[in-house]
Amino acid sequence: VLRKHLDGNGIGKDFLSIYLYTGCRNGIRTRISCQEDISERRRTVRCTLSVDNLNTALLRAARSHQYVKALDGRSTEILDVLRIDREYQAHLVTAYHHVGSFCHKAYHFILKVVDCGVNADFGDLPGLIHRKIRKSTDNYLYGPAMTPEEMERAIEIGAEMVQLAYQEGTNIISFGELGMANTSASSVWMYFFTGIPLKECVGAGSGLDNQGIEHKYQVLKRATDNYQGNGTAEDILRWFGGFEMVAAAGGMLQAAELGMTIIIDGFIMTNCILAASKLHPEVLEYCVFGHQGDEAGHKSVLEALHAKPLLNLGLRLGEGTGAICAYPIIESAIRMINEMSSFKQAAVTKYF
């Protein structure tokens, strides 16, 4: 599916990993991975190590999911629970148009909100990028959430948005999501891609109590038991994923192809990079993991990826917010490389 999007010349060659150490002895480390072009024998690092040249973007994709019908315990009935989903998401998408000013003022992030499949019509909402594949995915309790063609389209949308940001000068990028039940889809991806027991992958999501978490687990267990696909990464992506999650995975792969640094957000986006890595493992070399959230399973999936997040603040919001919080640490690390003097430069006698 990805062959025509990723020609293989960008990722999978040679990488220059730059380790930035803050503190002389405490071992605190920030890792920024940049590509080095060995074939041309030039030490050309494809992300600019200068604060003046940092250009950031946050992509938020949105969609609705028919799986919500199963969570109310009456999945055999045709219930219009997506009416609430539609109203809630419509308000969110409208509200996040105004969040862009905060992102830019605080950290100079450019916010792009993309409708991949929300079950609502927004008209000419200023700032919203319309790429609706269709109104919501199908219910993966009974079959695949999307067709192979729809999965490819979602990947193309993610790649397109990253290319747009890249053409505008972005070299550090992050992804977020606006969706209902996407912690559920993430839990299933995590289960299939890591082998961690499903029970350990399922958490409270937007705030379920213990009874709700147990019901969520039982529904997801039915969904995984009913899975009849071929077990490939592509098939698991399309069977259980949302349009916005597949678009994020495609965008992450495109960002790696372009040599951009990717700041990974919370539980959902960590599972999106997990999925992307099952298609092209080299994508992980371009990632900085922003934080460890409070959702059950996030710590385990980070460990499965051998990832060391910069922050652990107990965040549960998602939507790219943790990545924005982590960005100042990355900027500080780059400033240290460019502006901090060594002992020799500062004429300080080494004391250890």
Side-chain angles (χ1 to χ4, degrees):
V1 174
L2 297 174
R3 293 288 185 239
K4 65 182 180 182
H5 307 302
L6 303 174
D7 60 15
N9 293 324
I11 60 177
K13 282 188 175 181
D14 302 284
F15 299 93
L16 171 64
S17 293
I18 299 175
Y19 290 86
L20 312 180
Y21 289 87
T22 59
C24 295
R25 297 182 179 178
N26 58 14
I28 299 175
R29 184 176 74 188
T30 300
R31 178 179 178 181
I32 300 179
S33 299
C34 312
Q35 185 172 2
E36 183 180 31
D37 189 349
I38 303 298
S39 62
E40 295 184 10
R41 300 189 181 279
R42 296 179 304 177
R43 297 188 63 81
T44 304
V45 180
R46 295 186 64 181
C47 70
T48 303
L49 291 178
S50 169
V51 172
D52 294 334
N53 292 321
L54 292 180
N55 295 290
T56 53
L58 171 61
L59 303 181
R60 282 198 179 111
R63 72 86 178 86
S64 302
H65 206 308
Q66 292 281 358
Y67 159 78
V68 176
K69 287 183 178 179
L71 283 181
D72 68 355
R74 296 172 289 171
S75 58
T76 57
E77 299 181 29
I78 300 176
L79 302 174
D80 189 23
V81 298
L82 287 179
R83 179 180 61 83
I84 301 173
D85 178 21
R86 178 166 62 249
E87 293 174 356
Y88 178 69
Q89 281 195 296
H91 286 304
L92 278 179
V93 171
T94 302
Y96 274 109
H97 167 61
H98 301 289
V99 175
S101 59
F102 158 74
C103 294
H104 180 72
K105 289 178 181 178
Y107 303 118
H108 306 289
F109 269 80
I110 304 300
L111 175 66
K112 297 183 184 298
V113 181
V114 187
D115 175 12
C116 296
V118 177
N119 193 10
D121 294 312
F122 296 104
D124 296 325
L125 182 65
L128 178 65
I129 300 174
H130 297 274
R131 293 295 185 274
K132 194 188 301 289
I133 298 172
R134 62 179 159 98
K135 290 184 177 180
S136 84
T137 52
D138 290 329
N139 191 336
Y140 57 70
L141 187 61
Y142 308 112
M146 65 189 77
T147 67
E149 294 76 19
E150 288 171 336
M151 181 188 71
E152 184 169 355
R153 177 61 185 139
I155 290 171
E156 290 173 346
I157 291 170
E160 176 196 359
M161 293 301 104
V162 170
Q163 289 168 358
L164 176 62
Y166 182 77
Q167 291 166 5
E168 294 172 348
T170 295
N171 52 16
I172 297 183
I173 195 164
S174 186
F175 300 82
E177 79 295 327
L178 288 169
M180 298 285 287
N182 44 22
T183 59
S184 296
S186 298
S187 296
V188 175
W189 277 7
M190 176 180 168
Y191 162 70
F192 278 109
F193 290 142
T194 67
I196 295 171
L198 181 62
K199 191 90 170 180
E200 299 176 23
C201 302
V202 177
S206 58
L208 295 174
D209 57 18
N210 289 337
Q211 183 179 357
I213 294 172
E214 177 61 25
H215 178 60
K216 179 179 177 180
Y217 163 71
Q218 293 297 336
V219 173
L220 293 180
K221 186 176 185 304
R222 286 171 54 200
T224 56
D225 289 344
N226 292 342
Y227 173 59
Q228 299 175 9
N230 59 26
T232 63
E234 291 89 344
D235 196 64
I236 292 169
L237 257 70
R238 80 174 186 92
W239 197 285
F240 298 102
F243 292 138
E244 88 288 16
M245 294 171 64
V246 176
M252 291 168 179
L253 290 169
Q254 182 64 75
E257 174 78 5
L258 295 171
M260 302 166 74
T261 297
I262 309 166
I263 310 176
I264 304 299
D265 187 46
F267 180 66
I268 296 164
M269 290 299 106
T270 300
N271 279 285
C272 286
I273 194 62
L274 171 66
S277 72
K278 295 303 176 180
L279 300 172
H280 287 275
E282 301 87 353
V283 69
L284 294 172
E285 297 292 335
Y286 294 86
C287 298
V288 176
F289 288 82
H291 76 110
Q292 177 185 314
D294 203 35
E295 177 69 9
H298 196 193
K299 181 176 184 291
S300 296
V301 71
L302 286 167
E303 290 175 348
L305 287 165
H306 306 290
K308 298 185 183 301
L310 300 181
L311 300 172
N312 186 347
L313 301 175
L315 300 176
R316 296 185 57 83
L317 182 58
E319 298 162 359
T321 51
I324 293 177
C325 291
Y327 172 72
I329 297 177
I330 298 171
E331 181 177 321
S332 296
I334 294 173
R335 284 190 181 278
M336 187 181 68
I337 274 188
N338 287 278
E339 301 172 13
M340 183 172 146
S341 299
S342 66
F343 280 172
K344 183 177 181 180
Q345 291 169 330
V348 174
T349 301
K350 189 173 181 179
Y351 60 88
F352 58 90

Coordinates of all heavy atoms in Angstrom, one line a residue, residues 63-67 134 136-151 185 188-189 192 222-243 246:
R63 N -12.5 12.0 13.2 CA -13.5 11.1 12.6 C -14.5 10.5 13.6 O -14.2 10.6 14.8 CB -12.8 10.0 11.8 CG -12.1 8.9 12.7 CD -13.1 7.8 13.1 NE -12.5 6.8 13.9 CZ -12.4 6.8 15.2 NH1 -12.7 7.9 15.9 NH2 -11.9 5.8 15.9
S64 N -15.5 9.9 13.2 CA -16.5 9.2 14.0 C -16.4 7.7 13.8 O -15.8 7.3 12.8 CB -17.9 9.7 13.7 OG -18.1 11.1 13.9
H65 N -16.9 6.9 14.8 CA -16.7 5.5 14.7 C -17.9 4.8 15.1 O -18.5 5.0 16.2 CB -15.5 5.1 15.6 CG -14.8 3.8 15.2 ND1 -15.5 2.7 14.9 CD2 -13.5 3.5 15.0 CE1 -14.7 1.7 14.6 NE2 -13.5 2.2 14.6
Q66 N -18.4 3.9 14.3 CA -19.6 3.1 14.5 C -19.5 2.2 15.7 O -20.5 1.7 16.3 CB -20.0 2.3 13.3 CG -20.5 3.1 12.1 CD -21.9 3.5 12.3 OE1 -22.6 3.2 13.2 NE2 -22.4 4.3 11.3
Y67 N -18.2 1.9 16.2 CA -18.0 1.0 17.3 C -18.7 1.5 18.6 O -19.0 0.8 19.5 CB -16.5 0.9 17.5 CG -16.1 0.4 18.9 CD1 -16.2 -0.9 19.3 CD2 -15.6 1.4 19.8 CE1 -15.8 -1.3 20.6 CE2 -15.2 1.0 21.1 CZ -15.3 -0.4 21.5 OH -15.0 -0.8 22.7
R134 N -15.6 9.3 4.4 CA -17.0 9.1 4.6 C -17.4 9.4 6.0 O -16.5 9.6 6.9 CB -17.5 7.7 4.1 CG -17.0 6.6 4.9 CD -17.5 5.3 4.4 NE -16.8 4.1 4.7 CZ -17.0 3.3 5.8 NH1 -18.0 3.5 6.6 NH2 -16.3 2.2 6.0
S136 N -17.9 8.4 9.3 CA -17.6 7.4 10.2 C -17.2 6.1 9.6 O -17.6 5.8 8.4 CB -18.8 7.1 11.2 OG -19.7 6.2 10.7
T137 N -16.4 5.3 10.3 CA -16.0 4.0 9.9 C -17.1 3.0 10.2 O -18.0 3.3 10.9 CB -14.7 3.6 10.6 OG1 -14.8 3.8 12.0 CG2 -13.5 4.4 10.0
D138 N -16.9 1.7 9.8 CA -17.9 0.7 10.1 C -17.5 0.1 11.5 O -16.5 0.3 12.1 CB -17.8 -0.4 9.1 CG -18.4 0.0 7.8 OD1 -19.3 0.9 7.8 OD2 -18.0 -0.5 6.7
N139 N -18.5 -0.7 12.0 CA -18.3 -1.3 13.4 C -17.4 -2.5 13.3 O -17.8 -3.5 12.8 CB -19.7 -1.6 13.9 CG -19.7 -2.0 15.4 OD1 -18.6 -2.4 15.9 ND2 -20.8 -1.9 16.0
Y140 N -16.2 -2.4 13.9 CA -15.3 -3.5 13.7 C -15.6 -4.7 14.7 O -14.9 -5.7 14.7 CB -13.8 -3.1 14.0 CG -13.5 -2.4 15.3 CD1 -13.6 -3.1 16.5 CD2 -13.2 -1.1 15.3 CE1 -13.3 -2.5 17.7 CE2 -12.9 -0.4 16.5 CZ -12.9 -1.1 17.7 OH -12.6 -0.5 18.9
L141 N -16.7 -4.6 15.4 CA -17.2 -5.7 16.2 C -17.7 -6.8 15.2 O -17.7 -8.0 15.5 CB -18.3 -5.3 17.1 CG -18.8 -6.3 18.1 CD1 -17.7 -6.8 19.1 CD2 -20.0 -5.7 18.9
Y142 N -18.1 -6.4 14.0 CA -18.7 -7.3 13.1 C -18.0 -7.4 11.7 O -18.3 -8.3 10.9 CB -20.2 -6.9 12.7 CG -21.0 -6.6 14.0 CD1 -21.4 -5.3 14.3 CD2 -21.3 -7.7 14.8 CE1 -22.1 -5.1 15.5 CE2 -22.1 -7.5 16.0 CZ -22.5 -6.2 16.3 OH -23.2 -6.0 17.5
G143 N -17.0 -6.6 11.5 CA -16.2 -6.7 10.3 C -15.2 -5.6 10.2 O -15.0 -4.8 11.2
P144 N -14.5 -5.4 9.1 CA -13.4 -4.4 9.1 C -14.0 -3.0 9.1 O -15.1 -2.7 8.6 CB -12.8 -4.7 7.7 CG -13.8 -5.4 6.9 CD -14.5 -6.2 7.9
A145 N -13.3 -2.1 9.8 CA -13.8 -0.7 9.9 C -13.8 0.0 8.6 O -14.6 1.0 8.4 CB -12.9 0.0 10.9
M146 N -12.9 -0.3 7.7 CA -12.7 0.3 6.4 C -12.3 -0.6 5.3 O -11.8 -1.7 5.6 CB -11.8 1.5 6.5 CG -10.3 1.2 6.8 SD -9.3 2.6 7.2 CE -9.7 2.9 8.9
T147 N -12.5 -0.2 4.1 CA -12.0 -1.0 3.0 C -10.5 -0.8 2.7 O -10.0 0.2 3.2 CB -12.8 -0.7 1.7 OG1 -12.4 0.7 1.3 CG2 -14.3 -0.8 1.9
P148 N -9.8 -1.7 2.0 CA -8.4 -1.4 1.6 C -8.3 -0.1 0.9 O -7.3 0.6 1.2 CB -8.1 -2.6 0.7 CG -9.0 -3.7 1.2 CD -10.3 -3.0 1.5
E149 N -9.2 0.3 0.1 CA -9.1 1.6 -0.6 C -9.3 2.8 0.3 O -8.6 3.8 0.1 CB -10.2 1.6 -1.7 CG -10.1 0.6 -2.8 CD -10.5 -0.8 -2.4 OE1 -11.2 -1.0 -1.4 OE2 -10.0 -1.8 -3.1
E150 N -10.1 2.6 1.3 CA -10.3 3.7 2.3 C -9.1 3.8 3.1 O -8.7 4.9 3.5 CB -11.5 3.5 3.1 CG -12.8 3.7 2.4 CD -14.0 3.2 3.1 OE1 -13.9 2.3 4.0 OE2 -15.2 3.7 2.9
M151 N -8.4 2.7 3.5 CA -7.2 2.8 4.3 C -6.1 3.5 3.5 O -5.4 4.3 4.0 CB -6.7 1.4 4.6 CG -5.4 1.4 5.5 SD -4.7 -0.3 5.7 CE -4.1 -0.6 4.1
A185 N -9.7 1.5 19.8 CA -9.0 1.0 18.6 C -7.5 0.9 18.9 O -6.8 0.0 18.5 CB -9.2 2.0 17.5
V188 N -6.7 -2.3 20.8 CA -6.6 -3.4 19.9 C -5.4 -3.5 19.1 O -4.7 -4.5 19.0 CB -7.9 -3.5 19.0 CG1 -7.8 -4.6 18.1 CG2 -9.2 -3.6 19.9
W189 N -5.0 -2.4 18.5 CA -3.7 -2.3 17.8 C -2.5 -2.8 18.7 O -1.7 -3.5 18.3 CB -3.4 -0.9 17.3 CG -4.1 -0.6 16.0 CD1 -5.0 -1.3 15.3 CD2 -3.9 0.6 15.2 NE1 -5.4 -0.7 14.2 CE2 -4.8 0.5 14.1 CE3 -3.2 1.8 15.4 CZ2 -4.9 1.5 13.1 CZ3 -3.3 2.8 14.5 CH2 -4.1 2.7 13.3
F192 N -2.5 -6.6 19.2 CA -2.1 -7.4 18.1 C -0.6 -7.1 17.8 O 0.1 -8.0 17.4 CB -2.9 -7.0 16.9 CG -4.2 -7.8 16.8 CD1 -5.4 -7.1 17.0 CD2 -4.2 -9.1 16.5 CE1 -6.6 -7.8 16.9 CE2 -5.4 -9.8 16.4 CZ -6.6 -9.2 16.6
R222 N -14.6 -9.5 22.3 CA -15.5 -10.1 21.2 C -15.0 -9.7 19.9 O -15.0 -10.5 18.9 CB -16.9 -9.6 21.4 CG -17.6 -10.3 22.6 CD -19.0 -9.6 22.9 NE -19.8 -9.5 21.6 CZ -20.8 -8.6 21.5 NH1 -21.1 -7.7 22.5 NH2 -21.5 -8.6 20.4
A223 N -14.6 -8.4 19.7 CA -14.1 -7.9 18.4 C -12.9 -8.6 18.0 O -12.7 -9.0 16.8 CB -13.8 -6.4 18.5
T224 N -11.9 -8.8 18.9 CA -10.7 -9.5 18.5 C -10.9 -11.0 18.3 O -10.3 -11.6 17.4 CB -9.6 -9.4 19.6 OG1 -10.1 -9.8 20.9 CG2 -9.2 -7.9 19.7
D225 N -11.8 -11.6 19.0 CA -12.2 -13.0 18.8 C -12.9 -13.2 17.4 O -12.7 -14.2 16.8 CB -13.1 -13.5 19.9 CG -12.4 -13.7 21.2 OD1 -11.2 -13.7 21.2 OD2 -13.1 -13.8 22.3
N226 N -13.6 -12.2 17.0 CA -14.3 -12.2 15.7 C -13.5 -11.9 14.5 O -13.9 -12.0 13.4 CB -15.5 -11.3 15.7 CG -16.6 -11.7 16.7 OD1 -16.7 -12.9 17.1 ND2 -17.5 -10.8 17.1
Y227 N -12.2 -11.4 14.8 CA -11.4 -11.0 13.7 C -11.1 -12.2 12.7 O -10.7 -13.2 13.1 CB -10.0 -10.5 14.3 CG -9.0 -10.2 13.2 CD1 -9.2 -9.2 12.2 CD2 -7.7 -10.8 13.2 CE1 -8.3 -8.9 11.2 CE2 -6.8 -10.5 12.3 CZ -7.0 -9.6 11.3 OH -6.1 -9.3 10.3
Q228 N -11.3 -11.9 11.4 CA -11.1 -13.0 10.4 C -10.2 -12.5 9.3 O -10.2 -13.1 8.2 CB -12.5 -13.3 9.8 CG -13.5 -13.9 10.8 CD -14.9 -14.1 10.2 OE1 -15.1 -14.0 9.0 NE2 -15.8 -14.4 11.1
G229 N -9.3 -11.6 9.6 CA -8.4 -11.1 8.6 C -7.2 -12.0 8.5 O -7.1 -13.0 9.0
N230 N -6.2 -11.5 7.7 CA -5.0 -12.3 7.4 C -3.8 -12.0 8.4 O -2.8 -12.6 8.2 CB -4.6 -12.0 5.9 CG -4.2 -10.6 5.7 OD1 -3.8 -9.8 6.6 ND2 -4.4 -10.2 4.4
G231 N -4.0 -11.1 9.3 CA -3.0 -10.9 10.3 C -1.9 -10.0 10.0 O -1.0 -9.8 10.8
T232 N -1.9 -9.5 8.8 CA -0.8 -8.5 8.4 C -1.0 -7.2 9.0 O -2.1 -6.9 9.5 CB -0.7 -8.3 6.8 OG1 -2.0 -7.7 6.4 CG2 -0.5 -9.7 6.1
A233 N 0.0 -6.4 9.1 CA -0.1 -5.1 9.7 C -1.1 -4.2 9.0 O -1.9 -3.5 9.6 CB 1.3 -4.4 9.7
E234 N -1.1 -4.3 7.7 CA -2.1 -3.5 6.9 C -3.5 -3.9 7.2 O -4.4 -3.0 7.4 CB -1.8 -3.6 5.4 CG -0.5 -3.0 4.9 CD 0.7 -3.9 5.0 OE1 0.6 -5.0 5.7 OE2 1.7 -3.6 4.4
D235 N -3.7 -5.2 7.4 CA -5.1 -5.7 7.6 C -5.6 -5.3 9.0 O -6.7 -4.9 9.2 CB -5.1 -7.2 7.5 CG -6.5 -7.7 7.3 OD1 -7.2 -7.4 6.3 OD2 -7.0 -8.5 8.2
I236 N -4.7 -5.3 10.0 CA -5.1 -4.9 11.3 C -5.3 -3.4 11.4 O -6.3 -3.0 12.1 CB -3.9 -5.4 12.3 CG1 -3.9 -6.9 12.4 CG2 -4.2 -4.7 13.7 CD1 -2.7 -7.4 13.2
L237 N -4.5 -2.6 10.7 CA -4.8 -1.2 10.6 C -6.2 -0.9 10.1 O -6.9 -0.2 10.7 CB -3.8 -0.5 9.7 CG -2.6 0.2 10.3 CD1 -1.7 -0.7 11.0 CD2 -1.9 1.1 9.3
R238 N -6.6 -1.6 9.0 CA -7.9 -1.2 8.4 C -9.0 -1.9 9.1 O -10.1 -1.4 9.1 CB -7.9 -1.6 6.9 CG -8.1 -3.1 6.6 CD -8.3 -3.4 5.1 NE -8.7 -4.8 4.9 CZ -9.9 -5.2 4.8 NH1 -10.9 -4.3 4.9 NH2 -10.2 -6.5 4.5
W239 N -8.8 -3.0 9.8 CA -9.9 -3.7 10.4 C -10.3 -3.0 11.7 O -11.5 -2.9 12.0 CB -9.5 -5.1 10.8 CG -10.6 -6.1 11.1 CD1 -11.4 -6.1 12.2 CD2 -11.2 -7.1 10.2 NE1 -12.3 -7.1 12.2 CE2 -12.2 -7.7 10.9 CE3 -10.8 -7.6 9.0 CZ2 -13.0 -8.7 10.4 CZ3 -11.6 -8.6 8.4 CH2 -12.6 -9.2 9.2
F240 N -9.4 -2.4 12.4 CA -9.7 -1.9 13.7 C -9.5 -0.4 13.8 O -9.9 0.3 14.8 CB -8.9 -2.6 14.8 CG -9.3 -4.0 15.0 CD1 -8.4 -5.0 14.5 CD2 -10.4 -4.4 15.6 CE1 -8.7 -6.3 14.6 CE2 -10.7 -5.8 15.7 CZ -9.9 -6.7 15.2
G241 N -8.8 0.2 12.9 CA -8.4 1.6 13.0 C -9.5 2.6 12.6 O -10.5 2.3 12.0
G242 N -9.3 3.8 13.0 CA -10.1 4.9 12.6 C -9.4 5.7 11.4 O -8.2 5.6 11.3
F243 N -10.2 6.4 10.6 CA -9.6 7.1 9.5 C -8.5 8.1 10.0 O -7.4 8.2 9.4 CB -10.6 8.0 8.8 CG -11.6 7.1 8.0 CD1 -13.0 7.5 8.1 CD2 -11.2 6.0 7.3 CE1 -13.9 6.7 7.4 CE2 -12.2 5.3 6.6 CZ -13.5 5.6 6.7
V246 N -5.2 6.0 11.0 CA -4.5 5.6 9.8 C -3.8 6.8 9.1 O -2.7 6.7 8.7 CB -5.4 4.8 8.9 CG1 -4.6 4.4 7.6 CG2 -5.9 3.6 9.6

